Amino acid sequence: MRDLESVSIDPQVQFLLDKARNENVLTAFDRADMMNICGFGSTGVCCRHCLEGPCRIAPNGKGPQTGVCGADVHQIVARSFLNHLTQGSSGHAEHGREVALTLLEVAEGKAPYQIKDVDKLYRVAHDLEIVTEDLSMNEVAKEVALKALEDFQKQTGIMNWVKLRAHEDSLNTWNKLGITPVNAHLEITKAVARNAMGCDADPTNLILGGVTMGLIDGYAGLHLSTDLQDILFGTPKAVKAKYSMAVLDEKKINIAVHGHIPMLSEKSVEWSRRLEDEAIKQGATGINIVGVCCTGNELLMRQGVSVASSFSSQELVIVSGVLEAMVVDIQCIMPGIQQVAECYHTEIITTLPYVKIAGATHVNFEPSEADEAAQEIVMKAINRFSKRDPEKISIPDQTVDAYAGFSTEQIVEALSGLNGEDPLKPVIDALVSGKIRGIAALVGCTNPREKQDYGNTVVTKELLKNNVLVVSTGCAAHSLAKHNLMNFDGLEYCGEGLKEVLEAVGNAAGLPSLPPTMHMGSCVDNSRPADLLTAIANRLGVSMNELPAVGSCPETHSPKALSIGTFFIAHGIDVHIGVSPQLSGSEFVTNVLYGDRTDEHEVNADKLFGGKLIYEQDPYTAAKLLLERIDMKRETLLNKL
Ligand code: SF4
Ligand code: WCC
Ligand code: FE2
């Protein structure tokens, strides 16, 4: 087993992992060490698509070079890539659909939520070309929800959210290639169908099908979810919050909310306030909600709720011995939490009919019955308090402050402190003068196989040092926040030019500075960096693929990161991934995705879209490669302006 320092660079995670090991509790970090990586699967060459197989193609020309059906290694690898992308985008599309349905129920008076950002509702309605004059607010909300649901139903044309949010030049490229999505369900079904034995067997065509999945993720998932969540729960504004395992409070009833959709977690926060007296009756001083993964990010961005853990250390929150309940909705929930919870007093509560865990409690959550469900969940947690085992309690101390809540709207507002007429001008001037060399979105996850937070923080620090403006989302943002990259202490990592810009914008907004990196939210909020880049491209009158902008995902585990990454590549933004995307079995596929515009290889992403996938495990080398691409695009852009 790895020593503690090789598992995470976070001493609190090391501390709790040590505790888990001493108490003979197995967590993902140790399970990762026990699992031998399969040499076939890790290169994408194994196929289980039909009952003639499984088939696998050995590397170096040894053994059969096609499956029973005749599929060669390039077809097999391209299909497994498409498979990953389909899985990733369907998760986000389901997220978007759930939020759209909730908005519809709220508009019809059937679900107990308020529309918090009425301005955004009207802005989105206007951009969707809904005539609002004779409509009440709820009727407008209903029309917006129905437009969103059309993106899961219509049979011809272009998805509404693609028209709403895509940069025109990108859309033209997709139209020419015939890959623009019609509706999310149609495209996902088509992707599953084309991937079956006996269907699409052209690796290039399969990869293009994968790009459509990236667009489904980007529009039916990210943009649609962010827009409707902002309407329902409010568009985030700058907040100060706390990070690390130490946000758990021994004196309080601790409830972790984990997963992705904010409908349940927003209500859990509300009910934890309303049931405070019940907690006091049990001898606690109150109720403490802490976040895990993206539900944590959603609450952090809008309510300033503290965040305990990113993906890879989720089980260790339970190991503290003070967690009464972990309430989960969808995605990134390790089944292992139940086994760990059984070693402590924690109750795992699942909430959606299609995401249950054997052994866990299930409280069904429907937006229409949100109050009843949240009340029941919080009461369950309160009733667990007396079951704590004092022998097993141990919480690290020392929380870390972080500023979050940087929606695109909030960033533009901060910038308008410098130039009210033309808020983006200060960024553009800084880009042109070189004070800001480029823009990077540091996104994605943590992965129990990787040294937690290492890749995320090293890439970030290298980019900051080189004056790259860094925004962040997801569990990657968690890594940055814990290591002082979202508070003013982290400004020491910034190059002089960048620091000057951050301070100038911060000062205009009444702060000492902006933080070194800006937290833009959950994974579906990767729509926000996309929106920011779209606005900058439009302001400059250029395409997205001409911007010195990159994405980096150093520690991911999730197919969702692949589909989000593909969405950015479809715009011509280079994306780095630090964990193997399981493609190395096919030179053809890696050439298409990793190839450069100067390559002889006939067709590749860089030539088609102006951006490519960069797979590099070493974070220092990765930062260097990203800077090279930033510089290349900078030079072309500056010549053009
Ligand atoms: Fe084998 Fe072809 Fe079936 Fe895959 S689809 S398992 S390669 S026969
Ligand atoms: Ni988004 Fe990655 Fe976290 Fe899950 S919660 S682990 S996809 S970054
Ligand atoms: Fe997420």
Side-chain angles (χ1 to χ4, degrees):
M1 260 188 283
R2 284 172 290 178
D3 55 33
L4 296 170
E5 287 74 23
S6 312
V7 164
S8 174
I9 61 169
D10 175 354
Q12 302 195 353
V13 168
Q14 294 169 10
F15 170 87
L16 285 171
L17 179 61
D18 192 39
K19 181 175 186 287
R21 285 177 176 174
N22 289 332
E23 291 170 354
N24 288 319
V25 176
L26 200 56
T27 67
F29 295 113
D30 293 342
R31 290 194 299 269
D33 291 344
M34 292 156 71
M35 183 63 65
N36 286 327
I37 294 193
C38 165
F40 294 103
S42 60
T43 60
V45 300
C46 109
C47 180
R48 294 180 56 224
H49 281 208
C50 84
L51 307 183
E52 294 163 72
C55 304
R56 59 191 196 194
I57 312 296
N60 312 324
K62 289 186 207 131
Q65 290 304 295
T66 58
V68 174
C69 68
D72 68 14
V73 74
H74 312 299
Q75 293 158 350
I76 290 176
V77 171
R79 286 199 309 212
S80 38
F81 183 54
L82 176 56
N83 224 3
H84 269 147
L85 297 177
T86 309
Q87 198 187 88
S89 63
S90 59
H92 286 143
E94 273 303 278
H95 182 148
R97 194 183 59 84
E98 297 267 4
V99 181
L101 277 177
T102 306
L103 181 63
L104 181 64
E105 288 185 28
V106 172
E108 290 174 340
K110 292 181 190 156
Y113 299 90
Q114 307 282 329
I115 288 171
K116 290 245 176 74
D117 193 337
V118 180
D119 282 349
K120 186 151 186 175
L121 169 68
Y122 278 86
R123 278 203 312 278
V124 171
H126 173 263
D127 294 345
L128 286 167
E129 294 170 8
I130 295 169
V131 182
T132 56
E133 264 119 61
D134 299 320
L135 302 182
S136 69
M137 181 187 75
N138 277 341
E139 284 165 343
V140 174
K142 183 171 175 175
E143 290 303 313
V144 169
L146 291 175
K147 281 276 182 200
L149 291 169
E150 263 180 27
D151 279 352
F152 298 87
Q153 293 158 344
K154 63 201 277 188
Q155 296 300 311
T156 51
I158 292 176
M159 275 177 52
N160 297 329
W161 249 260
V162 172
K163 274 194 254 165
L164 178 67
R165 293 289 178 224
H167 189 285
E168 207 184 316
D169 297 347
S170 304
L171 183 55
N172 286 338
T173 305
W174 308 331
N175 284 342
K176 270 189 221 137
L177 290 167
I179 57 171
T180 313
V182 178
N183 97 46
H185 284 174
L186 174 155
E187 302 297 353
I188 290 168
T189 310
K190 200 193 280 173
V192 174
R194 80 194 292 170
N195 222 344
M197 199 289 291
C199 292
D200 202 352
D202 175 345
T204 311
N205 206 39
L206 284 159
I207 294 170
L208 286 174
V211 179
T212 301
M213 286 298 98
L215 300 179
I216 290 298
D217 194 312
Y219 295 102
L222 316 184
H223 277 100
L224 195 146
S225 302
T226 299
D227 282 337
L228 303 190
Q229 287 173 181
D230 282 355
I231 289 170
L232 271 173
F233 305 116
T235 302
K237 293 199 166 289
V239 286
K240 192 173 167 192
K242 293 198 184 308
Y243 267 88
S244 90
M245 292 286 184
V247 301
L248 291 161
D249 187 337
E250 190 173 343
K251 297 201 181 70
K252 290 189 175 165
I253 304 225
N254 292 294
I255 304 176
V257 288
H258 178 10
H260 281 80
I261 329 186
M263 278 85 86
L264 167 67
S265 46
E266 286 274 337
K267 277 287 170 195
S268 305
V269 172
E270 185 186 326
W271 276 95
S272 68
R273 287 175 189 146
R274 287 166 78 169
L275 292 170
E276 192 98 359
D277 285 350
E278 297 294 324
I280 291 166
K281 272 190 224 157
Q282 292 289 322
T285 60
I287 302 177
N288 182 34
I289 299 257
V290 300
V292 177
C293 284
C294 277
T295 283
N297 283 322
E298 299 282 359
L299 289 182
L300 162 82
M301 292 286 284
R302 297 197 177 85
Q303 309 233 25
V305 167
S306 314
V307 193
S309 178
S310 69
F311 176 79
S312 61
S313 48
Q314 58 184 272
E315 293 156 305
L316 295 176
V317 187
I318 302 168
V319 173
S320 67
V322 296
L323 188 69
E324 274 58 54
M326 184 176 267
V327 190
V328 305
D329 49 74
I330 52 166
Q331 299 171 23
C332 298
I333 300 145
M334 287 190 196
I337 54 174
Q338 178 60 27
Q339 292 136 37
V340 175
E342 283 166 14
C343 305
Y344 300 89
H345 75 298
T346 310
E347 185 161 5
I348 303 294
I349 304 173
T350 57
T351 54
L352 285 160
Y354 67 98
V355 185
K356 294 187 179 180
I357 301 175
T361 304
H362 187 76
V363 175
N364 208 46
F365 175 82
E366 298 281 344
S368 57
E369 310 278 316
D371 282 314
E372 291 78 359
Q375 184 177 11
E376 186 182 344
I377 287 166
V378 175
M379 276 313 297
K380 278 188 186 300
I382 293 172
N383 292 331
R384 282 270 157 164
F385 185 65
S386 61
K387 301 201 168 69
R388 275 188 193 177
D389 179 351
E391 303 273 296
K392 287 191 175 168
I393 294 176
S394 191
I395 321 175
D397 46 22
Q398 295 263 327
T399 57
V400 187
D401 287 344
Y403 291 87
F406 291 96
S407 55
T408 315
E409 289 88 338
Q410 174 67 86
I411 292 177
V412 171
E413 192 185 313
L415 287 170
S416 55
L418 287 178
N419 187 334
E421 303 271 286
D422 187 0
L424 289 177
K425 187 153 188 301
V427 178
I428 293 189
D429 290 346
L431 271 173
V432 172
S433 72
K435 278 185 191 163
I436 294 180
R437 186 158 158 190
I439 301 174
L442 210 292
V443 302
C445 322
T446 55
N447 178 332
R449 283 193 192 277
E450 304 291 313
K451 191 197 279 187
Q452 191 194 42
D453 305 336
Y454 173 72
N456 288 338
T457 53
V458 170
V459 172
T460 302
K461 286 178 186 171
E462 288 301 298
L463 294 176
L464 291 178
K465 188 168 85 186
N466 285 288
N467 294 309
V468 175
L469 180 72
V470 178
V471 300
S472 187
T473 59
C475 290
H478 190 99
S479 298
L480 306 191
K482 278 192 304 181
H483 297 282
N484 284 322
L485 291 163
M486 290 185 173
N487 64 39
F488 304 132
D489 288 350
L491 288 169
E492 61 167 306
Y493 297 107
C494 300
E496 280 313 310
L498 174 64
K499 205 162 142 192
E500 207 181 291
V501 176
L502 294 174
E503 282 171 356
V505 181
N507 288 340
L511 290 166
S513 171
L514 287 180
T517 68
M518 277 175 282
H519 196 325
M520 295 193 89
S522 65
C523 300
V524 294
D525 290 332
N526 279 313
S527 56
R528 302 191 200 275
D531 277 343
L532 186 65
L533 294 177
T534 309
I536 293 174
N538 282 335
R539 168 66 182 71
L540 283 168
V542 301
S543 303
M544 305 264 284
N545 63 16
E546 294 174 280
L547 297 176
V550 295
S552 173
C553 187
E555 296 181 39
T556 193
H557 73 93
S558 175
K560 291 180 286 174
L562 290 176
S563 47
I564 296 176
T566 304
F567 162 68
F568 279 96
I569 292 170
H571 286 282
I573 313 260
D574 297 307
V575 173
H576 157 245
I577 181 165
V579 177
S580 165
Q582 303 178 351
L583 304 171
S584 62
S586 164
E587 212 186 320
F588 181 89
V589 172
T590 51
N591 277 339
V592 171
L593 293 166
Y594 308 160
D596 197 89
R597 55 190 70 184
T598 57
D599 287 355
E600 281 175 14
H601 194 75
E602 213 175 283
V603 58
N604 66 36
D606 201 20
K607 290 184 198 178
L608 288 178
F609 305 107
K612 61 178 180 174
L613 185 62
I614 298 169
Y615 166 44
E616 174 53 58
Q617 284 183 321
D618 178 64
Y620 290 97
T621 314
K624 236 180 79 209
L625 294 171
L626 290 171
L627 285 166
E628 277 170 25
R629 290 286 290 189
I630 284 175
D631 287 346
M632 177 197 80
K633 292 199 175 179
R634 261 192 83 77
E635 203 187 313
T636 325
L637 180 68
L638 292 183
N639 284 336
K640 188 172 172 179
L641 293 179

